[in-house]
């Protein structure tokens, strides 16, 4: 399956994402690769929700949320927003639960991007 089709099957709004890059598929795919790099460098772990370093955690999730929004990675964007809402409300366990559930989709999207970029 081609990258675009596979990402669509994961809930990514490719049409809107392509509009944001003025229809330049190469640019969009390059930006997706940069997102995959950002996820790898984010280093967000389950323990971070209990560490008391919420400012660092919020900053990392906020950064991923912004990139996900720009690339129309809708399922990730929505989950990052929900995670941040729970963090802002002091509901750390709920924030962690949402983020952990997000990891499956995040991993699927990043794996898809990485597999296609090595082809």
């Amino acid at each position: 399956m081609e990258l675009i089709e596979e990402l669509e099957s994961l809930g990514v709004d490719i049409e809107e994402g392509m509009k944001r890059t003025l229809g330049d598929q190469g640019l969009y795919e390059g930006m997706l690769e940069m997102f995959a790099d950002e996820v790898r460098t984010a280093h967000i772990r389950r323990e971070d929700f209990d560490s008391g370093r919420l400012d660092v955690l919020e900053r990392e999730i906020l950064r991923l949320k912004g990139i996900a929004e720009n690339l129309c990675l809708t399922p990730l964007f929505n989950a990052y927003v929900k995670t941040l809402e729970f963090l802002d409300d002091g509901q750390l366990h709920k924030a962690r639960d949402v983020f952990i559930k997000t990891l499956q989709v995040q991993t699927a999207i990043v794996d898809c991007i990485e597999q296609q970029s090595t082809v």
Side-chain angles (χ1 to χ4, degrees), residues 21-22 29 35 43 91 97 101 112:
T21 59
L22 303 175
E29 289 178 4
F35 171 75
H43 301 296
Q91 299 181 53
D97 291 346
K101 289 177 186 174
C112 173

Side-chain angles (χ1 to χ4, degrees), residues 82-99:
K82 195 68 171 166
T83 301
L84 289 166
E85 287 174 356
F86 283 134
L87 285 174
D88 289 343
D89 290 344
Q91 299 181 53
L92 304 182
H93 292 293
K94 287 184 178 182
R96 182 181 56 223
D97 291 346
V98 169
F99 190 79

Side-chain angles (χ1 to χ4, degrees), residues 14-114:
I14 297 295
E15 184 178 338
E16 183 61 30
M18 292 291 287
K19 285 180 187 176
R20 293 180 183 200
T21 59
L22 303 175
D24 187 334
Q25 185 171 340
L27 175 59
Y28 184 70
E29 289 178 4
M31 291 173 67
L32 288 170
E33 289 175 23
M34 291 185 340
F35 171 75
D37 290 340
E38 290 295 323
V39 167
R40 279 194 301 276
T41 61
H43 301 296
I44 300 170
R45 298 175 313 276
R46 295 175 189 199
E47 306 84 54
D48 294 336
F49 289 87
D50 300 318
S51 71
R53 297 182 44 193
L54 296 181
D55 57 329
V56 174
L57 180 63
E58 285 179 327
R59 187 172 52 244
E60 289 294 310
I61 295 172
L62 188 60
R63 185 168 56 91
L64 293 177
K65 179 189 76 91
I67 299 167
E69 180 179 24
N70 289 333
L71 295 174
C72 300
L73 305 173
T74 308
L76 295 180
F77 171 75
N78 291 338
Y80 297 147
V81 167
K82 195 68 171 166
T83 301
L84 289 166
E85 287 174 356
F86 283 134
L87 285 174
D88 289 343
D89 290 344
Q91 299 181 53
L92 304 182
H93 292 293
K94 287 184 178 182
R96 182 181 56 223
D97 291 346
V98 169
F99 190 79
I100 289 169
K101 289 177 186 174
T102 304
L103 290 177
Q104 183 177 8
V105 175
Q106 179 179 282
T107 300
I109 289 173
V110 169
D111 286 350
C112 173
I113 294 165
E114 290 177 338

